[in-house]
Amino acid sequence: MGFGRGKVILLGEHAVVHGCPAIAVGIERGVTADAAVAERDLLRLSPWNLELEPDPKGDEPLQRAFAAVLALYPARPSLEVKTQVDLPAGAGLGCSAAIGVAVLDAIDQTLGIERLRADLATAALAWEKVFHGNPSGIDNTMSAVGGVALYRRGDALRTLRSNKPLHLVVGHSGESSSTKEMVASVSRQLQSDPARVNKAFEGIEVLVRNAKLAIEAGDHVALGQLLDLNHTILSSLMLCTTKLDDMCQAARRAGALGAKMTGAGGGGCMFALAPEHDEALRLRDVLGEGSFVAEVSA
Ligand code: MEV
């Protein structure tokens, strides 16, 4: 069974596209996939009841992504890949990257190919590139490797260690958004007002560096404050919606140590950092439908 996990970016999204570091965690929820030799190439996606043939010029990005992945296996039989997706799409949790990683993992297993999870992540970039032109690589890397890690484009992933688990509560705004469009919007802002946007990226980089220390020291009070500050900077880049802001406020009022949007923004998910497991369960009720607890050990 192939598996690609979902991810939550703790700090640094968008800035990571432009070379800054970011910190993310892999979560237990994700995508599973099975591949089998078949009469023709076919990708099935549940629970959406989608059935697609690969086509490098297809209208549907999934067709092009499947074709890009199959092209990585030059001598192979025809394959049918069935996936089970347990992540919301367009929600900032790395759903597309997780599908790509799971599909590659399943094909590798069927063809008897062994490779490191880090190499699986690199291969999955071919899939990710179809969905947005300029992926930093954080989604496919965290999907394949997991854990709590500091990622910077072009550098080896740095796993962070701590003796204190992170009690995260992920909430879904119910609004879906396109990573491609949100990344393009930040790039447009960078072009038209480089001084303001570079200042925002510098601010985010400082927060990421401090967050690394806070995670390693188990100082979640400090980490929570850094999350709030990162949310404010992302707001200044017009990536937050009223719903995401309201959910973050509600979580803070209900006792979260910090809260921020996560991923591309413009909708999708936010998360809150809870002091303890029981508090996380309480915050999940506050955040309502679609929210879930993700406990992550560094
Ligand atoms: C999307 O999950 C994270 C972004 O930073 C895009 C990327 O890193 O490729 C918005």
Side-chain angles (χ1 to χ4, degrees):
M1 180 83 81
F3 182 57
R5 56 183 74 241
K7 64 94 195 39
V8 175
I9 298 185
L10 298 188
L11 302 99
E13 53 273 270
H14 286 286
V16 71
V17 173
H18 301 275
C20 296
I23 297 175
V25 304
I27 59 175
E28 290 302 310
R29 281 182 70 172
V31 178
T32 52
D34 265 322
V37 173
E39 279 180 6
R40 63 187 175 122
D41 292 326
L42 195 68
L43 176 64
R44 291 180 194 272
L45 293 127
S46 296
W48 304 316
N49 276 332
L50 272 177
E51 235 184 69
L52 298 151
E53 288 182 5
D55 181 351
K57 294 196 168 68
D59 292 337
E60 173 59 55
L62 281 163
Q63 287 183 295
R64 302 199 297 276
F66 190 35
V69 158
L70 291 177
L72 301 174
Y73 302 88
R76 58 165 183 86
S78 296
L79 293 164
E80 181 174 321
V81 186
K82 289 184 192 158
T83 63
Q84 181 67 43
V85 183
D86 182 28
L87 288 169
L93 300 181
C95 180
S96 73
I99 300 173
V101 168
V103 167
L104 273 152
D105 194 15
I107 295 177
D108 277 3
Q109 288 176 28
T110 299
L111 301 184
I113 296 169
E114 285 186 20
R115 58 177 137 191
L116 298 173
R117 294 295 288 184
D119 295 333
L120 187 63
T122 307
L125 202 57
W127 174 282
E128 256 317 73
K129 277 186 178 154
V130 172
F131 291 91
H132 77 98
N134 187 18
S136 67
I138 192 168
D139 287 12
N140 46 301
T141 303
M142 293 313 296
S143 176
V145 179
V148 182
L150 185 129
Y151 176 88
R152 189 198 272 267
R153 217 172 176 160
D155 288 356
L157 192 70
R158 284 176 66 184
T159 301
L160 305 187
R161 301 268 173 236
S162 165
N163 53 14
K164 207 164 164 187
L166 292 160
H167 305 285
L168 306 179
V169 190
V170 179
H172 194 334
S173 66
E175 307 158 328
S176 97
S177 86
S178 149
T179 301
K180 188 175 185 169
E181 280 167 26
M182 301 318 289
V183 168
S185 133
V186 173
S187 293
R188 274 195 306 274
Q189 293 179 57
L190 181 62
Q191 262 192 346
S192 63
D193 193 350
R196 175 180 69 85
V197 176
N198 278 320
K199 220 177 171 74
F201 290 165
E202 278 163 29
I204 291 173
E205 178 151 3
V206 171
L207 298 179
V208 168
R209 299 214 171 283
N210 282 297
K212 172 184 177 291
L213 300 176
I215 290 169
E216 287 170 338
D219 187 349
H220 291 184
V221 172
L223 179 61
Q225 289 166 352
L226 296 164
L227 297 177
D228 290 347
L229 290 168
N230 194 169
H231 182 83
T232 304
I233 299 182
L234 292 168
S235 272
S236 78
L237 294 171
M238 289 168 278
L239 295 163
C240 300
T241 62
T242 307
K243 185 78 199 285
L244 285 168
D245 283 337
D246 289 350
M247 291 173 84
C248 290
Q249 275 299 355
R252 290 181 198 119
R253 270 199 304 271
L257 299 174
K260 72 175 267 292
M261 58 149 273
T262 185
C269 288
M270 49 70 68
F271 73 95
L273 177 66
E276 295 298 340
H277 177 74
D278 288 353
E279 294 289 299
L281 295 177
R282 214 170 46 74
L283 284 170
R284 185 187 59 189
D285 294 341
V286 169
L287 291 175
E289 201 184 326
S291 60
F292 62 95
V293 171
E295 312 253 44
V296 189
S297 295

